[in-house]
Amino acid sequence: MKKLLPVFCILLMVACQSPQENKQVAQTTKQVFKPENKPSKELNVAFLAINGVYNSELMAPFDIFQHTIFHTEKGMKPFIVSPTKEVITTFEGIRILPDYDFDDVPNIDILVVPSAENNMGSDLEDERLINFVKEKGGSAMYIMSLCDGAFILAKAGLLNEVKSTTFPSDIGQFRQTFPDLDIYENVSFVHDGKAITSSGGAKSYDPALYLVEFLYGKKAADGVAGGLVIDWNVGEIKSITPEK
């Protein structure tokens, strides 16, 4: 019995420490906001929507950015821009009337490129589309892609000097199409320079909430997330950011 006592004590100590260690992991936090990040004006956020755009990649970040007006003094003004003002149809069948076309779009502070059905194919050969992204994305404060929207940013030359990612099962195609890019996998999103690329799908909320926290602070991001019933802790999201 005396020989077993030290072993029992060690096991007891380990058992007592484990819940605390797990608690510390669960409470991991990360500081991404800096006062100098905060915009001094309302930001125009253009969502590039073309036929075949996927609902989740368009709607999730749009929802997040629109709600910033309730949680910060100068929030975001999201709108939809398309090649023309004709109705577009999402991949899932929702019909959308764009706010602007390529010719009358106002100044763009943040350009968001959601994934669309042909982003890895015919969209890459659409010179008007690529030139628009190159021009507007080049002058924007930030650019963001969801899922295969990264292919469009890459074709426009906007990812040449930064780390990036895309939809998990399309990483191989992304590397094959753009062999000179620094591409990462197994992450929700990558923020490098002014570019934020992401895996998309249901994780499309992640890069949007991250950018809200990056620009406006944790309180604003928590407020937006809470209003949409999203559990948000940027420290628990697998990502690559300037702080890592």
Side-chain angles (χ1 to χ4, degrees), residues 98-136:
D99 298 297
Y100 302 99
D101 62 27
F102 285 178
D103 296 321
D104 68 356
V105 65
N107 177 65
I108 296 174
D109 297 304
I110 301 173
L111 177 64
V112 182
V113 183
S115 180
E117 182 180 9
N118 296 309
N119 277 175
M120 295 189 296
S122 58
D123 292 339
L124 298 179
E125 306 304 320
D126 186 334
E127 291 187 8
R128 186 166 182 250
L129 174 68
I130 300 303
N131 287 338
F132 175 84
V133 172
K134 183 176 183 178
E135 177 188 351
K136 300 301 182 181

Side-chain angles (χ1 to χ4, degrees), residues 64 67 71 209 220-232:
I64 295 295
H67 278 76
H71 300 282
L209 277 168
D222 287 347
V224 172
L228 295 172
V229 198
I230 298 172
D231 292 328
W232 174 248

Side-chain angles (χ1 to χ4, degrees), residues 35-242:
E36 58 266 30
N37 295 346
K38 192 166 186 177
S40 59
K41 63 172 185 175
E42 181 181 65
L43 298 182
N44 283 340
V45 185
F47 281 76
L48 176 59
I50 58 179
N51 281 311
V53 65
Y54 292 102
N55 289 350
S56 55
E57 280 88 14
L58 174 62
M59 304 301 184
F62 195 104
D63 213 7
I64 295 295
F65 293 156
Q66 192 278 330
H67 278 76
T68 58
I69 61 174
F70 303 113
H71 300 282
T72 188
E73 184 178 353
K74 295 181 176 68
M76 298 177 173
K77 181 182 179 182
F79 54 80
I80 292 176
V81 59
S82 298
T84 71
K85 286 197 176 74
E86 295 180 4
V87 171
I88 64 166
T89 304
T90 70
F91 178 81
E92 293 82 1
I94 294 178
R95 292 163 60 83
I96 297 174
L97 184 65
D99 298 297
Y100 302 99
D101 62 27
F102 285 178
D103 296 321
D104 68 356
V105 65
N107 177 65
I108 296 174
D109 297 304
I110 301 173
L111 177 64
V112 182
V113 183
S115 180
E117 182 180 9
N118 296 309
N119 277 175
M120 295 189 296
S122 58
D123 292 339
L124 298 179
E125 306 304 320
D126 186 334
E127 291 187 8
R128 186 166 182 250
L129 174 68
I130 300 303
N131 287 338
F132 175 84
V133 172
K134 183 176 183 178
E135 177 188 351
K136 300 301 182 181
S139 61
M141 295 169 56
Y142 297 97
I143 53 177
M144 176 181 289
S145 66
L146 293 306
C147 189
D148 293 332
F151 282 74
I152 302 300
L153 292 183
K155 182 67 174 181
L158 298 177
L159 302 181
N160 289 345
E161 305 297 329
V162 299
K163 304 178 183 70
S164 60
T165 193
T166 189
F167 189 68
S169 63
D170 295 332
I171 290 287
Q173 182 65 40
F174 197 34
R175 286 175 172 154
Q176 181 178 344
T177 306
F178 304 101
D180 295 329
L181 294 188
D182 189 6
I183 299 169
Y184 284 71
E185 56 186 309
N186 300 319
V187 291
S188 175
F189 63 86
V190 174
H191 178 194
D192 191 5
K194 71 175 189 177
I196 302 172
T197 54
S198 65
S199 59
K203 291 186 179 296
S204 296
Y205 289 99
D206 290 353
L209 277 168
Y210 164 79
L211 186 56
V212 170
E213 184 161 340
F214 181 83
L215 293 175
Y216 303 106
K218 179 172 173 53
K219 182 178 179 181
D222 287 347
V224 172
L228 295 172
V229 198
I230 298 172
D231 292 328
W232 174 248
N233 181 346
V234 67
E236 296 179 347
I237 306 298
K238 294 179 66 176
S239 61
I240 296 175
T241 68

